[in-house]
Amino acid sequence: MKNIQSYINEHKDRFLNELIELLKIPSVSADSAYKNDVLKTAEAVKKSLEKAGCDSVEICETEGYPIVYGEKIVDSNLPTILVYGHYDVQPADPIELWDSAPFEPIIKSTEIHPEGAIFARGACDDKGQMYMHVKAMEFMTSTNQLPCNVKFMIEGEEEVGSVSLSKFVKDNHEKLKNDVILISDTGMISKETPSITTGLRGLSYVEVEVTGPNRDLHSGLYGGAVANPINILTKMIASLHDENNHITIPGFYDKVEELSLNERAEMAKAPFSLDRYKAALDIDSVYGEEGYSTNERNSIRPTLDVNGIWGGYTGEGAKTVIASKAYAKISMRLVPNQDWEDITELFKTHFESIAPSGTRIKVTPHHGGQGYVTPIDSIGYQAASKAYQETFGKTPIPQRSGGSIPIVALFEKELKSKTILMGFGLDSDAIHSPNEHFGVWNYLKGIETIPLFYKYFTELKA
Ligand code: BES
Ligand code: MN
Ligand code: MN
């Protein structure tokens, strides 16, 4: 393709400023206080797609937040790429841990990003990465180099489980018909080592409640004589892992796909420094399932983690009390073949079975989704690989990620197409954390690489 680099050089300030404007709108989907901002963001995304050269763009209303859909069909005989992304973001809290305001984006340089990174909630996940596609589209249409048809589907509920999108996909097979789905909502190994995400973990997210006595009690008068829900809950949670950090829920591993030694050896070739990993997190040792490396533990193995736990007195000073109730939120990351609904059921049955008498247990499933793996011999993967080869000067490494984008498995089931995950974020970008950022270099590299995927996919498909 002609002039990608010169186009980016000429327009990069505007590319950055447009993204900064988008990041200023706090589109937090989890918190209804931000409802108007989420809706405003959908409008802004719609306008940006129109400007980028889509022929028709619509705001598709749902029971939740709208889906922005746009397309440009150049020739029905040419392949069609469906781009998916999300315009909603995670809540910004704890706000006091941010060095700058989460919705007042600023560009600062860091050790990893000497040329600067944009600091804001959503900078990497996923507004920045989604917007790379809008700008890549602008480049292709304005230089008359769009080689195929394109459809955009940008949702506003990814961070809360994509409930409305699931229905939209099921109801719109024809509209969404495509030859490949393209997503930038993951990461890569490093700026020097490009990688393409070939797998995502599934997820089962549950909330548990342990009830003991019918009211909070004086811990002196009743202590030792009744079940303390917090003591019980922590004991129950502790029992969910054995001394080798295997999960103890019966049947949990039944469907887990075991990788061959060969596949594991292939994985181990990806550059990784345990020392740097530990230093970046300020820990003196890693921790996890016996028999697996750190990169295996966070990608090809399932996990169970408490995400939050509360109950009793947590205010200033001391209050001598036995709480009536204790709660926790628990997530299980799953690997391909583990069905999230089955696992949720297994968890519920097991958790209820280990509760001692004198307590009552309630398990409430939240949301979940299946894991995903994509083959590397597909045309889509090959096209992505050639694109990176050209812009990074290196063949990208296939790598499975530990994160989840549950809608990807649904895309395959409903639309029968493969997803290519071209993520340009880094683990150090602090997504979902205070001081989330996205490297300016990564942003521009994405804009440069995406049009080449269109080119090679169209060529290989012919
Ligand atoms: N973009 C992330 C997922 C991700 C990040 C995958 C980095 C791989 C690498 C996505 O927005 C996300 O946060 N997903 C949630 C699940 C969702 C159901 C809330 C997750 O993984 O916790
Ligand atoms: Mn995301
Ligand atoms: Mn996210």
Side-chain angles (χ1 to χ4, degrees):
M1 273 182 173
K2 280 181 294 186
N3 306 327
I4 306 189
Q5 268 141 354
S6 59
Y7 191 90
I8 292 174
N9 267 330
E10 192 179 325
H11 297 281
K12 68 172 182 234
D13 290 341
R14 178 172 57 83
F15 286 180
L16 284 167
N17 288 330
E18 288 176 11
L19 174 56
I20 284 171
E21 288 308 309
L22 196 62
L23 289 167
K24 284 183 187 169
I25 323 173
S27 50
V28 180
S29 52
D31 185 344
S32 57
Y34 294 95
K35 185 169 179 203
N36 285 333
D37 294 300
V38 183
L39 297 173
K40 220 170 110 185
T41 310
E43 288 294 339
V45 171
K46 175 176 186 258
K47 284 208 189 79
S48 74
L49 284 171
E50 283 164 348
K51 276 202 194 140
C54 283
D55 289 336
S56 61
V57 188
E58 41 178 331
I59 299 255
C60 305
E61 297 299 338
T62 70
E63 274 176 31
Y65 286 122
I67 294 154
V68 186
Y69 178 83
E71 62 178 33
K72 186 172 177 70
I73 307 297
V74 289
D75 179 345
S76 60
N77 294 315
L78 286 169
T80 301
I81 297 174
L82 173 66
V83 175
Y84 161 82
H86 62 95
Y87 64 82
D88 64 320
V89 302
Q90 284 276 323
D93 58 86
I95 207 129
E96 64 280 8
L97 296 182
W98 284 75
D99 296 328
S100 59
F103 298 107
E104 290 166 27
I106 56 159
I107 297 183
K108 274 192 303 190
S109 57
T110 70
E111 211 178 306
I112 293 175
H113 299 290
E115 51 296 281
I118 311 169
F119 282 77
R121 172 57 86 229
C124 176
D125 184 12
D126 178 41
K127 283 176 176 165
Q129 297 212 68
M130 177 271 288
Y131 209 67
M132 299 182 311
H133 288 268
V134 181
K135 294 299 98 179
M137 174 75 173
E138 174 198 308
F139 162 73
M140 290 185 285
T141 57
S142 67
T143 61
N144 270 318
Q145 299 189 79
L146 181 68
C148 60
N149 306 311
V150 55
K151 297 176 176 177
F152 284 89
M153 179 168 69
I154 314 298
E155 71 153 318
E157 298 182 343
E158 196 278 341
E159 299 292 8
V160 290
S162 302
V163 178
S164 305
L165 185 70
S166 304
K167 183 170 186 309
F168 185 78
V169 170
K170 288 177 190 153
D171 292 346
N172 287 284
H173 284 188
E174 196 48 42
K175 184 188 186 89
L176 301 175
K177 203 163 176 272
N178 66 80
D179 295 281
V180 72
I181 298 169
L182 183 61
I183 304 180
S184 297
D185 192 23
T186 56
M188 57 181 187
I189 294 175
S190 71
K191 287 155 81 176
E192 296 72 40
T193 311
S195 58
I196 298 174
T197 305
T198 51
L200 293 163
R201 285 197 285 196
L203 180 70
S204 164
Y205 200 107
V206 298
E207 185 166 327
V208 299
E209 178 189 297
V210 177
T211 307
N214 61 1
R215 59 183 171 88
D216 287 7
L217 302 173
H218 188 289
S219 68
L221 297 183
Y222 290 93
V226 296
N228 175 332
I230 301 177
N231 291 7
I232 299 293
L233 175 61
T234 50
K235 200 167 156 183
M236 287 169 72
I237 287 171
S239 78
L240 296 175
H241 290 92
D242 70 13
E243 65 283 5
N244 294 318
N245 278 314
H246 290 299
I247 295 156
T248 55
I249 300 170
F252 186 84
Y253 290 99
D254 282 1
K255 295 196 178 147
V256 168
E257 157 206 51
E258 289 291 341
L259 267 66
S260 67
L261 286 176
N262 230 338
E263 286 171 291
R264 292 176 65 186
E266 245 346 276
M267 267 189 78
K269 285 185 190 160
F272 175 74
S273 155
L274 192 58
D275 286 334
R276 249 181 282 149
Y277 187 87
K278 289 189 287 190
L281 302 177
D282 215 351
I283 49 178
D284 57 14
S285 174
V286 291
Y287 185 90
E289 188 182 3
E290 202 58 42
Y292 294 92
S293 71
T294 294
N295 274 335
E296 291 173 337
R297 288 170 179 168
N298 68 26
S299 64
I300 61 164
R301 298 299 295 166
T303 62
L304 184 153
D305 277 294
V306 179
N307 292 242
I309 182 163
W310 69 103
Y313 183 71
T314 56
E316 199 184 329
K319 177 186 178 190
T320 48
V321 68
I322 291 173
S324 165
K325 286 176 188 288
Y327 308 82
K329 290 184 194 277
I330 297 176
S331 70
M332 289 162 277
R333 295 284 167 171
L334 311 175
V335 296
N337 300 340
Q338 278 184 300
D339 179 83
W340 78 272
E341 283 170 315
D342 288 352
I343 294 290
T344 306
E345 215 32 60
L346 289 179
F347 176 89
K348 190 170 188 292
T349 308
H350 178 66
F351 209 68
E352 286 166 354
S353 79
I354 60 174
S357 50
T359 62
R360 274 164 291 142
I361 303 293
K362 200 161 107 192
V363 176
T364 312
H366 271 266
H367 54 75
Q370 313 294 44
Y372 185 71
V373 264
T374 191
I376 63 169
D377 56 7
S378 68
I379 287 179
Y381 186 91
Q382 294 305 320
S385 182
K386 286 178 79 155
Y388 282 80
Q389 175 71 48
E390 194 163 323
T391 54
F392 286 78
K394 278 179 195 165
T395 305
I397 297 176
Q399 201 191 37
R400 287 220 223 165
S401 171
S404 309
I405 312 177
I407 201 72
V408 172
L410 191 93
F411 287 159
E412 176 148 303
K413 183 164 169 253
E414 294 292 326
L415 306 175
K416 313 277 179 247
S417 39
K418 295 269 172 240
T419 292
I420 301 301
L421 297 155
M422 292 175 60
F424 293 89
L426 299 177
D427 282 354
S428 53
D429 288 345
I431 62 171
H432 293 207
S433 302
N435 301 315
E436 174 178 353
H437 56 281
F438 189 35
V440 171
W441 184 92
N442 301 62
Y443 178 54
L444 300 177
K445 207 64 175 171
I447 300 171
E448 185 187 342
T449 310
I450 289 163
L452 292 165
F453 173 82
Y454 281 59
K455 175 183 160 189
Y456 291 125
F457 184 76
T458 308
E459 283 176 16
L460 290 170
K461 195 78 190 156

